[in-house]
Amino acid sequence: MSESPAARLQKLFEGHRLTPTQRRIAHCMVRGAAEVPFLSSVELAELAGVSQPSVTRFAVALGFDGYPALRRHLREVAPAERAGAGDADSYNEYQQAVQGEIENLRRLSAMLADPAPVREAGRLLAGSSPLPVLGLRAASSQARGFAYFAAKVHPDVRLLDEGGSMLADRIDATVAAGASALLCFALPRYPKEVAEALDHARAAGLTVVTVADSAFAPVARHSDLLIPAPVGTGLAFDTACAPMLLGRVLLEAMADALPDAQARLESFDARAAARGLFVE
């Protein structure tokens, strides 16, 4: 499978120490990877919500003489990315949102060509008992879905989907009970409480594994291992098919690392059958 425009951009940014403003530009470019090679520095600045000089400094930070050189490079590595742009014009706004999610899933698939980060995450999550799973606001449904299924194979999963002054207390309780890692789902817009909770968790000794929409998301610097899965932005509210699927992939990796996962699943199925829990 050939790399997507977003994957190529991701590689371009890797290994560079970027400022928060530069990470914002990088994040914006990844989310609009197919269009970026055709934008002026002013247009990119407006899209990212930064100044035009910031875009120029960003290009220089990546090793280019300026933004025109960066744009030429992007056009060279993806010369035909707009070839199918006319096809998109035939879709209505709802279809375009679906097509955007299909592209996001392609990007996730390309990222998973290297399974090492997911396998490492699975090992960390399997080794933590209890396992706290954090997700606030827009990410709460992702955290709840993961926690629901994880409890079928993991002995002690603790969902943290409510903020407030007790969140730090609940994190401390998992540490006192023996937790070694925390899984966080963080999606736009990123609640300030999430960053604060991750800092608290790391200070308490937890290894933080985060699913976010970009490697340049604001929570990246608060995480030990971040695995990106893009969100769709074609509708009034973001869509999160890729983060949800990545959550299931992490479940699979965690189950693979748990020696008694299959036995727990079989035990649950037996209990469910005895109770008549599901309609056949």
Side-chain angles (χ1 to χ4, degrees), residues 63-258:
F64 296 93
D65 292 337
Y67 180 74
L70 170 58
R71 188 170 62 175
R72 283 195 300 273
H73 173 76
L74 296 179
R75 289 180 176 180
E76 289 168 1
V77 299
E81 288 302 335
R82 268 199 171 180
D87 296 338
D89 295 336
S90 65
Y91 294 125
N92 63 42
E93 59 184 307
Y94 310 123
Q95 291 176 301
Q96 288 174 12
V98 173
Q99 292 299 317
E101 283 293 64
I102 291 172
E103 174 58 24
N104 286 341
L105 292 174
R106 289 196 182 101
R107 289 166 57 185
L108 178 60
S109 177
M111 184 272 294
L112 292 173
D114 177 10
V118 167
R119 288 174 177 164
E120 173 63 9
R123 183 189 67 80
L124 290 169
L125 302 180
S128 180
S129 186
L131 172 61
V133 180
L134 172 65
L136 303 182
R137 294 185 181 267
S140 61
S141 61
Q142 307 297 324
R144 182 173 292 276
F146 181 95
Y148 172 81
F149 290 110
K152 303 292 187 292
V153 295
H154 192 287
D156 189 357
V157 179
R158 304 191 185 184
L159 176 64
L160 307 176
D161 63 347
E162 295 182 359
S165 61
M166 291 185 63
L167 181 55
D169 295 340
R170 296 172 69 193
I171 291 173
D172 290 340
T174 66
V175 174
S180 58
L182 176 146
L183 174 62
C184 173
F185 288 87
L187 301 177
R189 301 169 62 186
Y190 312 95
K192 181 181 179 183
E193 281 183 295
V194 170
E196 293 171 346
L198 296 187
D199 283 343
H200 183 85
R202 296 175 79 190
L206 295 179
T207 299
V208 171
V209 177
T210 298
V211 172
D213 68 310
S214 167
F216 304 97
V219 292
R221 60 184 179 275
H222 305 282
S223 308
D224 296 294
L225 173 59
L226 186 144
I227 306 177
V231 301
T233 58
L235 300 174
F237 298 99
D238 289 348
T239 50
C241 294
M244 181 186 70
L245 182 54
L246 178 54
R248 300 299 187 267
V249 170
L250 288 174
L251 273 169
E252 186 79 5
M254 183 185 74
D256 288 343
L258 287 166

